[in-house]
Amino acid sequence: MSAICLTASGSVCAQSLAPSVSKVEPPFWWAGHTINPVRLLIHGANFTGARVSSANPALKVSNVKTNARSTYLFADVKIASTARPGDYPLLVTTDSGRSTIPFHLEQPLDSRTHFQGITNDDVIYLIMTDRFANGDPKNDVPSGAPAAATDRNNPRSYHGGDLRGIIAHLPYLKDLGVTALWLTPWYDNWNGINQCDHPWCPNTYYHGYHAIDYYGVEDRFGDLTTLRELVEKAHALGIKVIQDQVANHVGSRHPWVTDPPLPNWFHGTLSQHQRNKFRNYTLLSPHSNPEDFRNTLDGWFSDDLPDMNQEEPEVAKYEIQNSLWWIGSTGIDGIRQDTIQYMPRFFIRELSDELHRQFPKMWMVGEVFERDAAQTAFFIGGHRGWDGIDTNLDSVFDFSLWNVSQRVFTNKAPMNALPHQLKYDALYPDPLKLTTLANNHDTIRFMSLEGATLEGAMMHLAFTLSVRGIPQLYSGEELGMEGKDDPDNRRDFPGGFPRGDSPDTRNAFKREGRHPDEQRMFEWTQKWIRLRLDHAAIRDGRLIDLYDDEDTYVFARQNNTETIVIAFNRRDEERKIKVAIRSISIRDGADLKVVLGSSQTARVVDGQATLTIPARTAIAFRAN
Ligand SMILES: [Ca+2]
Ligand SMILES: [Ca+2]
Ligand SMILES: [Ca+2]
């Protein structure tokens, strides 16, 4: 935006001296918000000695600060609780002139239909927006972007998927049965083609993890209006939306990198910073030396991911407001917080607390990508760590159980490695709160693991959907899609890209477009989701181990009204397994009837039931 600069006497001032405003963050806020005053970060020029005022008495400005280069202005804006939605421009004045700071207040979204949080009643489905469906070819190559950055034949290029494509396929997701969508970051990323000396270059930021604008929607994906439409239409179908937020770092093309709001905005600079050595254990251990500990917190995730300095209160404030702004302006229900362990624990707590203060049901899951449950447990909320901090974080992904399940169902570990892993639930204040992932966009797809079979993939999925926790699936796994390491694990969803140079020849969003194995996997996924949604015992009941050996695992999910018994057999032949069902208070004469799979009813006799479990499958029984 541009503004005419006038001197105090009313004449047009010299542009080089007068203040000018190019960006206001956040661009709007709400009256009656728990964060009040809101702190604005205003980008522009010539802010030396700036004074900021509001013509409207409903807003009061204080605590104004400029950076040394006079390119950034910080200002607190206190909003009267009675202020109506509308435009509330502020005025920045220096001895050389004045300029307008655009700002407005919005009507808050209805908290009865937005900000619902994620619970054990949900099944989360991860979508990588660029790779799911292209609903709007007009945004495939934004103006000024190199044409070569969009190329479906290059796994590191943009492929054209967008928010409109997700909206178009909401009925598919509803039919599958998932109740929440986690979308990879929709912050605006740089549109160009990145060159570097690493094997992953040239590349683009199609994945969205290199923000250049924390308040912008990626122009290849859509805009804020489309995003709001997506949330509303998803909600209308009973599907929640989870935003992927990245407070740990921004992209190296962010304007802050050459012109930071404060000298300590980042940990280091583009030319002078530590690279993260990923000695992640130092974040957990009480015995770490400060140098290694700080490197893991402050080191850059890669040379093109500048690390935000949350120890600077202005940075922490900016990021917390940004997180709340996205929730308030779109009505989303949850947050997946990227690389959360590389941020100070006090900041995780502050962010969690502020989210819940404004949106009591809000839910945030942190990515602590560790196969060691002690490390993931350290970051979940509900208990204090040795450092005295309770992060109050709602959930973490259960990478350790995911890892064991993949090994078990590709025959690299015995079946009873599952209950042996689950014993570490003792480390969590409430294991039901874990997010149990089947896979994600950073991991090899199940069908591309060594030793993978379709039956193995089916058992892995059934396990993820029936064990304790909030299950999270990755788009494409419901078709048994293949894909090795990044970016191969981010192949396009077949049928999402029906136009362009190399249009899809089939549409796997529809039954007739799926191969027989894909259809088998799809129906299986649908059934296990349905089973979970139909039985509260699977969603939030106790998990009780009933039987385990090398090839078989049987457990119950039990609440006060029902008991569901889930049995896995990975052998090539049917097994008959005697289970001490009395131990879960199921009386003699009761029947264990099959509710998913094919087997026969098992009658409880002398406190025991003999379950018939067919070869290489999972089966679910209901007691009574
Ligand atoms: Ca597109
Ligand atoms: Ca962009
Ligand atoms: Ca960090």
Side-chain angles (χ1 to χ4, degrees):
M1 70 207 76
S2 65
I4 295 171
C5 162
L6 299 172
T7 62
S9 61
S11 58
V12 176
C13 49
Q15 284 295 324
S16 60
L17 294 173
S20 65
V21 173
S22 54
K23 193 168 175 56
V24 183
E25 301 175 277
F28 59 83
W29 204 248
W30 303 268
H33 199 283
T34 51
I35 291 195
N36 189 24
V38 61
R39 189 142 179 84
L40 300 192
L41 176 64
I42 298 146
H43 186 36
N46 306 323
F47 289 147
T48 307
R51 302 173 296 278
V52 180
S53 60
S54 166
N56 190 316
L59 268 58
K60 295 227 180 321
V61 183
S62 64
N63 199 13
V64 174
K65 178 165 94 183
T66 56
N67 69 346
R69 287 184 320 287
S70 297
T71 51
Y72 281 95
L73 190 64
F74 297 84
D76 278 355
V77 176
K78 177 102 177 164
I79 301 164
S81 61
T82 52
R84 306 292 307 157
D87 287 330
Y88 291 81
L90 306 172
L91 202 62
V92 52
T93 309
T94 69
D95 292 344
S96 308
R98 61 180 190 263
S99 188
T100 298
I101 302 169
F103 187 66
H104 69 278
L105 299 182
E106 290 220 340
Q107 179 72 36
L109 294 170
D110 190 340
S111 62
R112 290 168 303 181
T113 49
H114 301 88
F115 331 124
Q116 292 302 296
I118 303 296
T119 70
N120 286 82
D121 294 341
D122 287 307
V123 176
I124 303 168
Y125 183 89
L126 162 60
I127 289 176
M128 178 158 258
T129 303
D130 181 60
R131 304 297 164 89
F132 188 63
N134 187 356
D136 181 4
K138 292 194 298 296
N139 60 23
D140 290 357
V141 185
S143 74
T150 306
D151 178 4
R152 283 195 63 209
N153 296 314
N154 182 342
R156 299 188 199 279
S157 293
Y158 282 96
H159 290 187
D162 49 39
L163 301 173
R164 183 63 57 198
I166 298 171
I167 293 171
H169 292 95
L170 287 172
Y172 166 82
L173 299 163
K174 179 73 182 169
D175 181 48
L176 179 62
V178 296
T179 70
L181 308 179
W182 153 24
L183 309 186
T184 46
W186 59 59
Y187 305 123
D188 193 21
N189 276 235
W190 186 57
N191 285 343
I193 300 170
N194 190 39
Q195 307 290 343
C196 71
D197 295 334
H198 299 294
W200 55 82
C201 277
N203 67 14
T204 67
Y205 299 130
Y206 68 92
H207 43 69
Y209 289 95
H210 290 237
I212 56 167
D213 181 355
Y214 266 132
Y215 281 92
V217 175
E218 169 55 45
D219 46 351
R220 293 170 182 269
F221 296 166
D223 56 20
L224 187 59
T225 306
T226 320
L227 183 59
R228 287 167 155 170
E229 181 187 335
L230 189 160
V231 174
E232 293 303 321
K233 288 187 168 162
H235 282 175
L237 290 172
I239 297 174
K240 299 171 182 175
V241 178
I242 299 167
Q243 181 188 8
D244 202 331
Q245 295 191 348
V246 192
N248 183 62
H249 48 250
V250 294
S252 58
R253 304 278 177 168
H254 196 296
W256 289 338
V257 174
T258 50
D259 181 16
L262 293 173
N264 63 344
W265 198 251
F266 297 116
H267 292 123
T269 64
L270 196 59
S271 59
Q272 207 162 26
H273 59 263
Q274 298 185 56
R275 200 182 291 176
N276 199 323
K277 293 175 189 157
F278 296 110
R279 302 182 75 182
N280 295 352
Y281 75 93
T282 64
L283 301 175
L284 172 65
S285 174
H287 314 299
S288 305
N289 71 68
E291 195 173 315
D292 286 339
F293 177 76
R294 289 311 322 179
N295 171 271
T296 322
L297 276 181
D298 304 351
W300 290 22
F301 197 85
S302 73
D303 284 333
D304 64 347
L305 287 171
D307 198 74
M308 299 290 289
N309 175 16
Q310 294 91 3
E311 262 107 2
E312 163 55 51
E314 295 283 10
V315 170
K317 182 93 183 163
Y318 176 95
E319 296 204 306
I320 287 166
Q321 288 184 175
N322 179 251
S323 180
L324 284 160
W325 182 84
W326 282 110
I327 303 167
S329 59
T330 61
I332 54 167
D333 307 286
I335 291 167
R336 179 261 187 186
Q337 188 62 248
D338 190 56
T339 53
I340 201 167
Q341 63 177 332
Y342 307 114
M343 299 193 286
R345 283 162 57 79
F346 78 82
F347 175 73
I348 302 172
R349 176 179 59 192
E350 203 178 329
L351 177 58
S352 299
D353 287 351
E354 292 294 343
L355 294 179
H356 292 126
R357 207 152 67 92
Q358 174 65 20
F359 304 108
K361 294 181 175 174
M362 190 43 55
W363 176 88
M364 180 163 70
V365 57
E367 183 209 21
V368 182
F369 200 150
E370 300 293 332
R371 290 171 177 79
D372 180 345
Q375 185 118 356
T376 44
F378 185 56
F379 285 91
I380 202 168
H383 61 163
R384 279 176 198 275
W386 59 265
D387 56 359
I389 292 175
D390 179 343
T391 62
N392 291 331
L393 178 63
D394 299 296
S395 185
V396 291
F397 291 104
D398 191 352
F399 284 99
S400 49
L401 188 63
W402 157 81
N403 177 51
V404 173
S405 178
Q406 284 202 329
R407 290 174 51 75
V408 163
F409 294 115
T410 51
N411 294 311
K412 296 184 198 79
M415 190 73 95
N416 51 21
L418 290 170
H420 282 269
Q421 178 61 41
L422 283 162
K423 74 183 176 214
Y424 294 112
D425 278 4
L427 297 168
Y428 294 97
D430 182 358
L432 279 172
K433 292 192 169 178
L434 282 159
T435 302
T436 33
L437 69 154
N439 242 332
N440 71 23
H441 55 322
D442 293 323
T443 63
I444 297 172
R445 285 194 183 272
F446 191 96
M447 286 306 291
S448 289
L449 294 170
E450 189 198 333
T453 58
L454 186 64
E455 287 81 4
M458 291 166 83
M459 285 188 276
H460 172 66
L461 196 97
F463 178 72
T464 306
L465 284 164
S466 59
V467 74
R468 91 287 178 271
I470 302 169
Q472 176 256 301
L473 315 180
Y474 174 35
S475 172
E477 297 287 299
E478 76 272 30
L479 303 176
M481 199 185 269
E482 293 181 5
K484 290 196 179 292
D485 282 314
D486 162 14
D488 191 44
N489 51 7
R490 298 156 177 197
R491 295 182 198 177
D492 298 343
F493 197 101
F497 301 80
R499 293 175 290 261
D501 293 341
S502 44
D504 288 341
T505 52
R506 67 190 182 97
N507 180 8
F509 287 111
K510 302 276 187 203
R511 183 193 186 112
E512 56 271 22
R514 292 177 206 132
H515 301 312
D517 277 357
E518 290 176 336
Q519 181 61 18
R520 197 175 154 204
M521 189 68 180
F522 179 83
E523 286 176 16
W524 178 259
T525 309
Q526 229 178 6
K527 282 182 193 167
W528 281 89
I529 293 175
R530 189 73 252 162
L531 182 80
R532 183 179 174 90
L533 299 182
D534 285 346
H535 297 281
I538 302 180
R539 301 197 299 272
D540 51 20
R542 296 175 293 280
L543 188 155
I544 305 156
D545 292 331
L546 292 176
Y547 179 88
D548 63 79
D549 64 22
E550 282 273 306
D551 296 313
T552 305
Y553 179 33
V554 182
F555 61 82
R557 299 300 309 279
Q558 187 175 56
N559 64 12
N560 294 335
T561 54
E562 68 171 348
T563 303
I564 304 289
V565 173
I566 316 273
F568 297 83
N569 171 23
R570 69 176 190 185
R571 274 197 200 163
D572 291 337
E573 68 267 9
E574 173 187 289
R575 297 195 75 187
K576 290 192 183 298
I577 299 292
K578 193 174 271 191
V579 177
I581 206 85
R582 73 166 76 84
S583 64
I584 54 169
S585 308
I586 304 293
R587 59 183 164 72
D588 279 4
D591 282 334
L592 293 172
K593 291 201 178 101
V594 177
V595 285
L596 204 169
S598 58
S599 181
Q600 59 222 52
T601 298
R603 169 84 28 111
V604 182
V605 179
D606 292 337
Q608 297 192 314
T610 301
L611 307 178
T612 304
I613 320 172
R616 298 186 307 276
T617 196
I619 195 158
F621 302 86
R622 183 177 191 274
N624 297 321

